[in-house]
Amino acid sequence: MPRRTATMLASTLMLIALLCAGVLIPVPYAEMSPGPTVNTLGDHDGEPVLQITGHQTYKTSGNLNMTTVRVTSADFRMNLVEAVYGWLDPETKIVPHDTLYPNGTTEEQSSQQNAEEFSQSQESAKVAALKELHIPVKSWVIVSTVVKDSPAEGRLHAGDVIKAIDGTTIKQPADVAKLVTRHKPGQNVVFTVIPVKEQAAAEKAHKTATATQDVTITTKASDDSGPRRAIVGISAGTDHTFPFNIDIKLADVGGPSAGLMFALGIYDKLTPGDLTGGKFVAGTGTIDDNGTVGPIGGVEMKTVGARDKGAQYFLTPADNCAAAAKDTPSGLTLVRVKNIGDALSALKDIRSGDTGALPKCTTKG
């Protein structure tokens, strides 16, 4: 066989072998891409996203779109060819698999966590919007979760209202850990609670639950690598009672990043006039009960998805501005916001057309 023919044959076989290896060998990466974007002021699957009853609402126009990111599943194993293709595609992002699913997180675990974060974001969005409108909201500290096989299992339950610990009134979730860790492992701590069943019955009857009970729990040492500290095996959170009904109807969405846009949508429906002036505004960002906007993941994918749907402005958490501004989609203005007040101020400028003073994102933040 002539040398040139043999070289070409060997090169071809090598190329085939490399392609086969690229297809067959998995790599530890996952893919992120733009996901659906939904107008919080509009309908989704045939019904309004925001449904408010028991309080006057007002007609709205324009768009206040929440944005999402589509990710590959936890059990999907990307091959080298797919990874290279993703790296070359400007509308996708290839990230280490552990970034999306840390410590071997399963699809079920990830979905559960996203659902819980989405539910909490809705509650915080409602609180933040009503606080901005000076509408009172009743709040209290509750047992959010109980760790399996912990001292608190069977003694406390998710939804129990925590009124006091060792006689000290609980005002915020952080108070719980602070008071428990004053003890040494093995010591008793006394929780004064309203059981979740009593609380639920009172809420159903539109009354305030008052019947408390003391629950004594023996603490144990934490399992982490730091100094030994006393724990009982619960996490604390906040629950609320709203003066009227606010329902958010949006299925197949998870995570906390829609909080800001839900809050703005609620605010718009409860106030006369239009927040957007008919403009197409999208955005993202977590929100807490006080209206503070926090950073999210995948902001580059969300700006692409928003612009593809026609957004002109994108409300961007301040901590995400630098990353988002590195590759801003053409025709989209990134607006920097730290809290709901910043967002409302920006929307005022947008609807008036006076956008010169908008706090725009830069690569420096």
Side-chain angles (χ1 to χ4, degrees), residues 312-331:
Q312 302 158 285
Y313 302 91
F314 193 90
L315 302 179
T316 312
D319 289 341
N320 288 125
C321 265
K326 288 179 180 178
D327 192 17
T328 307
S330 176

Side-chain angles (χ1 to χ4, degrees), residues 39-58 60 122-123 126 130 242-251 261-263 265-270:
N39 185 11
T40 62
L41 301 177
D43 294 351
H44 183 67
D45 289 342
E47 62 179 342
V49 174
L50 299 176
Q51 300 180 13
I52 301 174
T53 56
H55 193 281
Q56 183 175 1
T57 58
Y58 299 87
T60 60
Q122 295 181 50
E123 290 298 291
K126 297 172 189 177
L130 296 189
F242 299 100
F244 48 89
N245 293 325
I246 305 174
D247 291 323
I248 298 176
K249 303 291 186 180
L250 195 58
M261 302 313 291
F262 284 145
I266 294 167
Y267 185 100
D268 199 0
K269 285 184 172 288
L270 292 174

Side-chain angles (χ1 to χ4, degrees), residues 105-290:
T105 303
T106 65
E107 186 75 21
E108 183 179 1
Q109 290 170 331
S110 178
S111 297
Q112 177 64 29
Q113 180 180 346
N114 284 335
E116 292 174 358
E117 290 176 343
F118 186 62
S119 177
Q120 182 57 53
S121 75
Q122 295 181 50
E123 290 298 291
S124 292
K126 297 172 189 177
V127 176
L130 296 189
K131 279 189 175 181
E132 194 68 24
L133 291 166
H134 304 292
I135 297 175
V137 176
K138 293 182 180 179
S139 303
W140 53 84
V141 177
I142 62 167
V143 175
S144 181
T145 57
V146 179
V147 177
K148 184 176 177 58
D149 297 326
S150 69
E153 186 179 24
R155 308 284 292 158
L156 297 176
H157 304 87
D160 287 349
V161 179
I162 306 174
K163 300 295 290 184
I165 292 179
D166 296 326
T168 300
T169 300
I170 298 299
K171 297 180 179 179
Q172 56 187 356
D175 294 342
V176 176
K178 186 183 301 183
L179 291 170
V180 170
T181 54
R182 286 182 179 178
H183 294 267
K184 293 180 180 179
Q187 291 183 334
N188 289 339
V189 59
V190 179
F191 282 75
T192 302
V193 302
I194 297 174
V196 59
K197 291 182 179 179
E198 299 287 342
Q199 180 65 25
E203 289 183 32
K204 188 174 181 180
H206 301 288
K207 296 181 180 178
T208 300
T210 57
T212 63
Q213 66 181 50
D214 288 341
V215 179
T216 301
I217 301 174
T218 303
T219 63
K220 75 168 189 175
S222 60
D223 297 327
D224 50 39
S225 59
R228 285 169 54 87
R229 57 189 177 87
I231 63 170
V232 296
I234 68 167
S235 61
T238 308
D239 202 0
H240 311 278
T241 293
F242 299 100
F244 48 89
N245 293 325
I246 305 174
D247 291 323
I248 298 176
K249 303 291 186 180
L250 195 58
D252 302 323
V253 176
S257 64
L260 170 63
M261 302 313 291
F262 284 145
L264 293 174
I266 294 167
Y267 185 100
D268 199 0
K269 285 184 172 288
L270 292 174
T271 53
D274 294 320
L275 279 184
T276 68
K279 302 291 196 311
F280 194 138
V281 180
T284 189
T286 65
I287 200 165
D288 65 16
D289 291 358
N290 295 316

Side-chain angles (χ1 to χ4, degrees), residues 8-31:
M8 290 182 63
L9 179 60
S11 299
T12 301
L13 292 174
M14 181 65 75
L15 178 61
I16 292 172
L18 290 173
L19 288 174
C20 289
V23 171
L24 296 175
I25 298 176
V27 291
Y29 292 101
E31 181 182 281

